[in-house]
Amino acid sequence: MRAITLELQPHYERVAPDNPFKEKLPLLLQHQWETYNAVRDNDLVFNLYPTGTGKTLAALLGILNFREHNVLIIAPTNALVWQHERDARDFVSRFQLSHLVREINADILKNLELPGARRKGEKLHQLIRNPAIIDRQVSERRPQILVTNPDLFYYALFYLFNPKDRRNLAYDFLQHFNYIIVDELHYYDAKQLANFLYFIVISHHFGYFTSQNRRMVILTATPDPFLQGYIERLANLGVRCRMISPRDRLDESPPEDDGGKVQSTARLTLHLLPLEQRTEFHCKVREHLPYLEGCLAKKQDGVIITSSLRQINQVAMFLKQTSLAGRFARITGPVPAAEREKAAFYPLVLATATVDIGYNFQGHPKERQNIDFGILESSTLDAFWQRLGRVGRVLGKPVQDYPSEAFVYIPADAWNLLSGTLGEIAYTRQELQDLMQETLVPQRLMARPFHGEYISYFSLQEVMLPLQHIYRLLPDDIKEWTKKSFDLIKEVYSPRSRRNFWHLLAELKQYAEIRDLLNLMERNPARIERKCLLKVLAERYGGGDINLDDVYNLLQAGDEDLWQDLEFYLHNKISPYTGMFSFRGNTEDKKVAACDPAGLLSEGRGWVMVDPWHLLKNFSFNVLTRQELTLFKDIMPPEADIYVLIKTMYDQPLKLRLTYQLPSYLEMEELDSRSGWFVSLRGLKVEATLQGAIVPLPGPLRDMMQNSFINGVLLQWDFNPAIIHRCFREEIYPLELTAVKDGTSKQYFFFPGLAGYNFWARYGWSIRKEEHTWIIV
């Protein structure tokens, strides 16, 4: 086993020289005290301290500046929302605050019963306005701490709720909260970061930082280098920003006699190992079986972490056949919340990137670190430090001299470069972090692609959605404020952009008109106005000697091919926008619930919610009928669109590809003309192969794609191979698409959904052509 072995010295954090909260908080760190104080004099405070050093508490301390005001906490996953809700309740109790603490997500809203409120948006509005409405023991209005995910925040702020609720909710989130905490900012991609930047600029422009004394604290342990540029642009606008960073105080030496420092991580033996392909990780874990058995025999607790759900499930299948059966559990996306809680009590936890997002391994109480050892896989530096930071955390623990150990698998090319660079035996964490950054990033190794170009290309169009609503609501004499808002946002997003407010407003209006027309075509064609339809027909068929009245009459007569052609034309006209107005960048898939009696996805062996594409690629299964569901009396299935029974896991994942049978109204030449840009296709047939042999797929899941318009970027098969290779390395995955027409076929690359936006933002420069009329760029 090739390994670079070195020692990471214990890490220490400075204790605050003054602790006014000593009775309620015996230990107060310097960065926590600085965060608390910075909130008073700064609009925006960034705490960049490492994992395991108490950033959450630092942000919660800011609430003490807002004892009578409402607080909003945003965390990227529902599991972390739940964790923050518990932390906030404990904080409110400890400091005897009057705040009511509420956790809110889509499922909670759906099941919440409020008098006279049925819609989710209506319930959320009532809850924000009066949090005591669901607590009969509370008779008076009190400030609240609302803990939620960024999706609800985005949908409210961007007017995406039901038309009856959207204005109220946008107003609620824009004006109701004085103190806002955004956790784990590094988790969000460029599109999602842009939405938070929008809220910051609007808060500044409309005076909420001054008139309401609004303050925001943003937490991130591994800030992206691009973030500093956006912070500087915000500061140039007049937003008062403060960065609280460990780099301002590089001091990891042992504590002095005055007790001015406290240990946060134990000494750790680090083994760096090369990994040629991520698919090999489960095989590497097998080699560590004697080590795992020895650690658990010594009553040690550990983790195995990789970004691949399939790899974790393969590790679990292997361990079930060993002496460790029954001594491990999984924490992954499909595992239900109740099972995740139980998993923390097992001596060995198998986890995906779910635990990268601020997860605390708080199982059975221990005087030393909760996690003694780890076997980890990481392809990026930010994930490397996030995962390594889970091992050996001793902040506040009475025993701090028990050593930890970690085996970390990194890409082989990065390992080869480091093997000739790492000359020391012992490093501080900051020294190793700096050395890896300096060695690997210039060679484009283990650097997480940020795709900041997305903000420049697409986010300016996206913010027009809320700005158009604000424009309509403002009185005529101050409508200019909306245009000024856009200009300020452009200064932050893309100062060199030539795009202007009025042009983008017209584009958004056209998108809304076409979207409404498509809805009528699908649900009630008789309600379409002749004038509106003739305008669209002129765009599509207005050339030559075609009589538009004749085309109109054919449509009215129900000509199916003509309707489908017009529908195809309109969907493709707005295809760049379709997936844009969603916080996570893709359309909502149907929900699939899987019964897992063999425990292939979870130790609970019950129902799990599973991504349909992961299911298709990795498992053989049967689709259950409604009648068959009635047989599951002991374990009630969750609400879903499709129910399946998982049978086995494939030894190798299936390869998925798409076939597109061109309809009669579409020629191959027209499809070719759309390559290099966004397209919207209906009738895509999903095919799966295993070692070249076709694997039949169950109809209900196959039909999910075939019956809907799917948006993405289409590229010619001979497109620049070097860029396609880079896409795979950056985890922007295309699918192989074969188009068929009249016995001939042609292959393309197809980047569906968010992959299409990320591809275009990153590599659109490589396919721009003067003859294209771009909608967005």
Side-chain angles (χ1 to χ4, degrees):
M1 182 184 295
R2 294 187 301 164
I4 303 171
T5 299
L6 49 89
E7 295 292 321
L8 286 185
Q9 298 174 0
H11 180 86
Y12 296 87
E13 290 293 337
R14 283 189 176 273
V15 176
D18 181 33
N19 184 0
F21 318 119
K22 196 162 188 177
E23 291 185 4
K24 298 179 174 62
L25 195 66
L27 176 62
L28 179 67
L29 300 183
Q30 177 68 21
H31 77 88
Q32 295 169 337
W33 175 237
E34 289 181 10
T35 302
Y36 167 77
N37 285 316
V39 166
R40 297 176 179 176
D41 304 318
N42 297 274
D43 306 322
L44 204 58
V45 178
F46 292 84
N47 187 313
L48 310 181
Y49 269 67
T51 297
T53 56
K55 290 193 302 300
T56 300
L57 178 58
L60 290 175
L61 284 170
I63 299 175
L64 299 178
N65 295 306
F66 297 89
R67 292 177 179 269
E68 303 300 325
H69 299 91
N70 296 309
V71 177
L72 177 66
I73 302 177
I74 301 173
T77 65
N78 285 337
L80 193 53
V81 167
W82 176 77
Q83 185 171 300
H84 279 317
E85 189 261 354
R86 289 191 305 168
D87 293 339
R89 284 188 187 277
D90 177 69
F91 185 85
V92 166
S93 174
R94 180 183 302 185
F95 284 87
Q96 298 178 326
L97 301 177
S98 61
H99 292 77
L100 296 173
V101 183
R102 296 280 181 252
E103 171 194 2
I104 287 297
N105 59 44
D107 289 336
I108 290 175
L109 282 176
K110 181 179 179 180
N111 298 320
L112 183 64
E113 294 186 4
L114 293 179
R118 295 184 177 180
R119 301 183 304 274
K120 291 180 181 178
E122 189 178 15
K123 296 176 185 177
L124 182 56
H125 173 62
Q126 288 193 23
L127 189 60
I128 290 175
R129 286 297 166 179
N130 182 14
I133 196 171
I134 58 174
D135 193 338
R136 296 179 180 179
Q137 297 179 351
V138 179
S139 57
E140 76 282 1
R141 285 183 178 269
R142 286 157 53 179
Q144 73 168 316
I145 299 175
L146 184 68
V147 191
T148 190
N149 57 49
D151 301 73
L152 285 182
F153 175 72
Y154 171 75
Y155 271 77
L157 198 63
F158 277 62
Y159 293 81
L160 290 170
F161 271 92
N162 186 292
K164 295 180 180 180
D165 306 311
R166 59 178 55 155
R167 180 176 176 180
N168 286 335
L169 287 171
Y171 183 88
D172 290 339
F173 278 91
L174 199 56
Q175 294 195 335
H176 198 68
F177 300 98
N178 289 59
Y179 186 55
I180 299 164
I181 300 171
V182 180
D183 193 18
E184 305 287 350
L185 187 72
H186 52 271
Y187 175 80
Y188 302 112
D189 60 25
K191 169 187 171 64
Q192 296 160 350
L193 172 62
N195 301 323
F196 287 112
L197 292 174
Y198 162 80
F199 179 74
I200 294 168
V201 174
I202 289 295
S203 294
H204 167 69
H205 183 48
F206 282 80
Y208 296 126
F209 287 131
T210 53
S211 64
Q212 288 188 201
N213 196 36
R214 171 172 291 165
R215 298 292 183 262
M216 293 183 66
V217 172
I218 295 177
L219 308 177
T220 172
T222 52
D224 195 285
F226 285 93
L227 181 62
Q228 182 62 43
Y230 293 113
I231 294 174
E232 291 174 0
R233 294 176 192 173
L234 289 170
N236 290 338
L237 297 184
V239 179
R240 297 174 299 171
C241 301
R242 171 73 188 279
M243 306 279 282
I244 298 175
S245 169
R247 293 187 176 278
D248 299 334
R249 190 178 292 101
L250 294 179
D251 189 351
E252 301 188 62
S253 57
E256 304 295 340
D257 293 337
D258 61 5
K261 302 171 190 172
V262 63
Q263 189 172 340
S264 62
T265 61
R267 180 176 299 277
L268 184 143
T269 301
L270 173 62
H271 309 277
L272 293 175
L273 300 112
L275 189 65
E276 294 290 344
Q277 296 180 4
R278 181 178 290 175
T279 54
E280 298 176 350
F281 178 69
H282 72 283
C283 299
K284 299 294 184 181
V285 173
R286 294 186 179 203
E287 300 175 13
H288 292 277
L289 180 60
Y291 173 80
L292 292 172
E293 292 174 329
C295 287
L296 268 59
K298 292 184 289 186
K299 305 297 183 182
Q300 292 182 346
D301 298 280
V303 293
I304 298 174
I305 307 176
T306 174
S307 296
S308 169
L309 176 59
R310 176 180 173 84
Q311 291 295 302
I312 282 296
N313 291 333
Q314 286 184 300
V315 170
M317 290 177 63
F318 164 70
L319 292 180
K320 285 179 182 179
Q321 304 169 16
T322 71
S323 62
L324 301 184
R327 305 192 67 190
F328 69 88
R330 277 168 279 188
I331 300 177
T332 66
V335 174
E339 294 297 324
R340 294 186 196 183
E341 288 184 55
K342 296 177 183 178
F345 290 87
Y346 283 76
L348 180 61
V349 175
L350 280 50
T352 57
T354 302
V355 297
D356 289 345
I357 316 302
Y359 186 86
N360 291 329
F361 289 91
Q362 296 174 337
H364 49 83
K366 293 173 65 178
E367 292 189 339
R368 65 174 191 269
Q369 57 264 38
N370 291 336
I371 300 298
D372 300 298
F373 68 90
I375 300 175
L376 318 170
E377 176 271 326
S378 175
S379 60
T380 62
L381 284 174
D382 61 333
F384 176 91
W385 289 108
Q386 283 286 328
R387 293 169 189 179
L388 191 63
R390 303 293 163 207
V391 182
R393 294 164 61 163
V394 295
L395 185 63
K397 297 281 190 176
V399 176
Q400 299 181 331
D401 59 354
Y402 194 94
S404 291
E405 189 168 21
F407 299 82
V408 186
Y409 287 87
I410 62 175
D413 47 3
W415 187 90
N416 290 331
L417 198 57
L418 287 173
S419 65
T421 304
L422 293 172
E424 301 290 334
I425 296 176
Y427 292 87
T428 67
R429 292 187 179 234
Q430 192 64 61
E431 287 171 347
L432 181 61
Q433 187 172 357
D434 290 342
L435 191 149
M436 293 179 74
Q437 186 85 12
E438 294 168 3
T439 304
L440 299 178
V441 172
Q443 303 300 319
R444 299 173 63 95
L445 296 175
M446 294 189 72
R448 185 176 78 122
F450 176 63
H451 303 154
E453 298 91 341
Y454 181 97
I455 296 178
S456 300
Y457 289 166
F458 298 109
S459 293
L460 275 178
Q461 178 69 71
E462 189 175 355
V463 298
M464 290 305 300
L465 186 62
L467 288 181
Q468 71 161 350
H469 287 281
I470 295 174
Y471 181 79
R472 292 170 185 168
L473 294 173
L474 290 179
D476 291 340
D477 57 335
I478 59 172
K479 283 186 182 294
E480 188 69 16
W481 273 75
T482 315
K483 180 182 179 300
K484 179 62 175 175
S485 300
F486 172 82
D487 292 337
L488 292 176
I489 293 167
K490 187 168 75 169
E491 283 297 312
V492 176
Y493 283 7
S494 183
R496 298 180 181 179
S497 175
R498 298 180 181 179
R499 306 169 76 198
N500 66 73
F501 176 81
W502 302 112
H503 175 71
L504 293 179
L505 188 64
E507 285 188 9
L508 188 62
K509 181 181 178 182
Q510 184 186 51
Y511 160 74
E513 290 174 350
I514 294 177
R515 180 199 59 202
D516 293 343
L517 178 57
L518 284 167
N519 287 335
L520 283 177
M521 289 173 65
E522 181 180 351
R523 299 173 184 175
N524 196 350
R527 290 186 56 192
I528 301 175
E529 296 181 2
R530 175 185 173 90
K531 179 181 178 181
C532 175
L533 197 52
L534 283 174
K535 176 184 175 181
V536 175
L537 295 179
E539 293 177 3
R540 179 61 170 163
Y541 311 109
D545 300 325
I546 295 177
N547 187 313
L548 294 181
D549 286 326
D550 292 342
V551 179
Y552 177 81
N553 292 333
L554 283 173
L555 281 173
Q556 292 297 98
D559 188 299
E560 187 174 343
D561 282 350
L562 194 58
W563 273 110
Q564 290 181 358
D565 177 62
L566 185 61
E567 189 179 32
F568 174 85
Y569 169 74
L570 293 175
H571 271 286
N572 279 274
K573 192 173 179 66
I574 63 171
S575 58
Y577 302 88
T578 304
M580 190 183 299
F581 302 124
S582 170
F583 184 75
R584 302 195 186 267
N586 52 2
T587 55
E588 184 177 356
D589 290 325
K590 288 184 178 295
K591 294 181 179 179
V592 179
C595 184
D596 182 27
L600 299 177
L601 279 165
S602 167
E603 277 61 58
R605 298 175 180 266
W607 289 98
V608 295
M609 302 302 295
V610 60
D611 174 74
W613 301 114
H614 181 78
L615 180 69
L616 283 172
K617 290 177 67 173
N618 293 285
F619 299 97
S620 65
F621 58 92
N622 293 333
V623 176
L624 300 172
T625 65
R626 293 289 176 179
Q627 184 176 3
E628 289 171 326
L629 276 178
T630 61
L631 302 177
F632 293 85
K633 297 179 180 179
D634 296 332
I635 45 175
M636 291 297 294
E639 184 175 335
D641 299 289
I642 298 174
Y643 297 88
V644 302
L645 176 67
I646 294 181
K647 297 161 59 180
T648 60
M649 184 183 210
Y650 296 123
D651 292 335
Q652 297 178 13
L654 302 184
K655 180 181 179 181
L656 300 182
R657 64 188 184 194
L658 304 173
T659 300
Y660 181 52
Q661 179 69 52
L662 272 66
S664 59
Y665 53 80
L666 183 64
E667 298 299 327
M668 197 74 78
E669 291 75 16
E670 184 173 358
L671 188 65
D672 268 340
S673 71
R674 296 177 183 274
S675 67
W677 185 233
F678 288 84
V679 297
S680 189
L681 304 175
R682 182 167 66 183
L684 292 173
K685 182 181 178 182
V686 186
E687 295 179 345
T689 59
L690 182 61
Q691 297 179 343
I694 294 179
V695 178
L697 298 177
L701 270 81
R702 187 182 63 240
D703 294 343
M704 282 172 52
M705 176 174 282
Q706 197 161 353
N707 295 335
S708 304
F709 276 96
I710 305 297
N711 298 286
V713 170
L714 188 72
L715 296 179
Q716 297 286 343
W717 189 250
D718 59 357
F719 181 75
N720 191 321
I723 291 180
I724 294 296
H725 177 70
R726 283 161 66 180
C727 287
F728 277 97
R729 288 187 58 178
E730 295 171 359
E731 299 184 359
I732 310 175
Y733 297 117
L735 293 174
E736 175 186 334
L737 185 149
T738 302
V740 179
K741 177 76 173 187
D742 297 332
T744 62
S745 63
K746 187 171 183 179
Q747 286 182 297
Y748 300 86
F749 289 111
F750 184 64
F751 291 83
L754 185 58
Y757 290 97
N758 284 336
F759 169 83
W760 183 261
R762 188 74 169 170
Y763 299 112
W765 53 265
S766 63
I767 52 177
R768 293 180 202 165
K769 299 177 182 177
E770 293 183 2
E771 63 267 28
H772 279 265
T773 302
W774 303 119
I775 297 177
I776 296 251
V777 176

